[in-house]
Amino acid sequence: VVYGLASGLVIGGSFVGDTWQGSPLLKRYCFSNSREILFEWTLFTAYLGLPLIVVCVCLLTVTSNSWEITLLTWFSSVAALFVLYSCTISFFETKVCMALISSLGEEGQKNWKTF
């Protein structure tokens, strides 16, 4: 359990760093270079666009808890990006691990299975 929580914190820290640098990991592996505009619009929608639309609708409908709804919307959209980032990291970690095991050869795989 502790290892899983520690891995989650490490991935969370790298997500913040990756976001601060313009999300190069998501841009490279989840979106191709030809879709860079789509990627930028996706980030804009997640961080600003959707929460701004929600706050406008809530304020126009005179909702008493408009800031709570807006905050939950913003948190949900950032959480969705974090899940996408975490799945990307997990996929490529697993892919590299399988490539490493297959490069060990027959003898290395026998030792790996007994370990």
Side-chain angles (χ1 to χ4, degrees):
V1 172
V2 174
Y3 179 74
L5 292 174
S7 295
L9 287 174
V10 168
I11 291 174
S14 69
F15 174 71
V16 170
D18 189 66
T19 302
W20 183 258
Q21 296 172 355
S23 299
L25 185 113
L26 286 177
K27 191 182 296 184
R28 181 173 181 185
Y29 293 114
C30 292
F31 292 85
S32 64
N33 288 335
S34 62
R35 296 184 181 175
E36 188 169 340
I37 300 296
L38 176 65
F39 175 72
E40 296 295 334
W41 275 105
T42 303
L43 289 182
F44 169 77
T45 302
Y47 290 125
L48 289 176
L50 188 61
L52 284 175
I53 290 171
V54 168
V55 76
C56 289
V57 168
C58 286
L59 290 176
L60 289 173
T61 58
V62 192
T63 308
S64 63
N65 57 350
S66 60
W67 296 110
E68 293 174 14
I69 296 170
T70 304
L71 183 61
L72 286 174
T73 303
W74 178 78
F75 182 76
S76 300
S77 62
V78 172
L81 282 177
F82 178 70
V83 166
L84 177 66
Y85 183 83
S86 299
C87 289
T88 304
I89 292 281
S90 299
F91 172 76
F92 283 107
E93 281 182 353
T94 305
K95 184 178 175 181
V96 168
C97 181
M98 292 301 170
L100 178 65
I101 290 173
S102 67
S103 71
L104 291 175
E106 189 69 31
E107 186 64 32
Q109 288 180 3
K110 287 179 185 176
N111 292 337
W112 178 263
K113 289 178 184 175
T114 59
F115 182 61

